[in-house]
Amino acid sequence: MLESLRTRAEMRRKAGEIYGAVVTQARCVDFYAVLGVPDTPTGRYEMVTLHLFLVLERLRAHAGTASPLSRLLVEAFVADMDDSLRELGTGDLAVPKKVRRAASGLYERSMAYREALQAGDVRALAKCFTEHAYAGVANPGADVLASYAVAASAALASADLVDAPFASSAFPAVPEYLGAAA
């Protein structure tokens, strides 16, 4: 019984470590300054959902859809959205509705991103980013962001998310990648 509790606590710690790396990568200034993703709560949400999706897809490929680590990562995301909305001054009664909308957005984007990545359709991925990250406004950064997402997915394919320490360095270095993509 104690071993079960210890294992659960270790998984929760690991989920926190991975989620922290996801948020760190999502806050990389190059997404906002170079690619033109709006540095707003919505833009930051889009970058977190992108990076969380990439990690969840890696876990899905490795452990299947029923991974407890995947569930714990989504729980960390929901808790983060709740905390962020409260920090932004959202009223207590509106927080649950907005958190549900944020979780629903993660699911919707995951479906679209997965479909585009599995088809190898970088254009469809760029279109998703234009629609969500750039609020429907055409931006050349969407194409580069789509190429980055493909590279990040490939980089994560070889990452050990479960047993090794995980850091934002598991994602491609954005400045190096942007220089290579130009």
Side-chain angles (χ1 to χ4, degrees):
M1 183 163 134
L2 290 177
E3 185 62 32
S4 173
L5 290 174
R6 199 170 305 133
T7 302
R8 233 181 270 151
E10 178 60 24
M11 280 294 224
R12 200 168 291 283
R13 184 202 60 76
K14 186 67 176 177
E17 173 187 303
I18 293 171
Y19 188 73
V22 163
V23 171
T24 298
Q25 184 67 10
R27 290 183 177 168
C28 179
V29 70
D30 292 312
F31 292 120
Y32 310 99
V34 178
L35 295 182
V37 173
D39 191 9
T40 62
T42 301
R44 290 188 294 267
Y45 164 81
E46 294 299 335
M47 291 299 93
V48 169
T49 57
L50 166 61
H51 289 89
L52 182 57
F53 158 76
L54 292 168
V55 169
L56 290 172
E57 281 299 291
R58 171 62 179 102
L59 285 170
R60 186 172 164 265
H62 176 71
T65 56
S67 167
L69 191 52
S70 294
R71 180 183 51 79
L72 291 170
L73 279 167
V74 172
E75 286 177 10
F77 169 75
V78 167
D80 184 34
M81 292 300 106
D82 186 279
D83 292 346
S84 296
L85 287 166
R86 291 178 193 283
E87 285 177 15
L88 289 169
T90 304
D92 286 341
L93 296 175
V95 168
K97 179 180 176 185
K98 289 187 177 193
V99 168
R100 274 193 301 279
R101 194 174 323 140
S104 175
L106 172 64
Y107 177 74
E108 290 167 6
R109 284 155 183 76
S110 293
M111 299 280 289
Y113 297 164
R114 181 179 304 120
E115 185 178 314
L117 278 175
Q118 286 177 344
D121 191 348
V122 179
R123 275 196 179 294
L125 200 52
K127 185 178 176 187
C128 290
F129 294 139
T130 298
E131 180 182 337
H132 298 293
Y134 298 101
V137 177
N139 187 313
D143 293 327
V144 179
L145 188 56
S147 296
Y148 164 82
V150 170
S153 179
L156 287 172
S158 62
D160 182 357
L161 300 181
V162 178
D163 297 322
F166 185 82
S168 59
S169 60
F171 295 100
V174 179
E176 292 173 19
Y177 179 76
L178 293 175

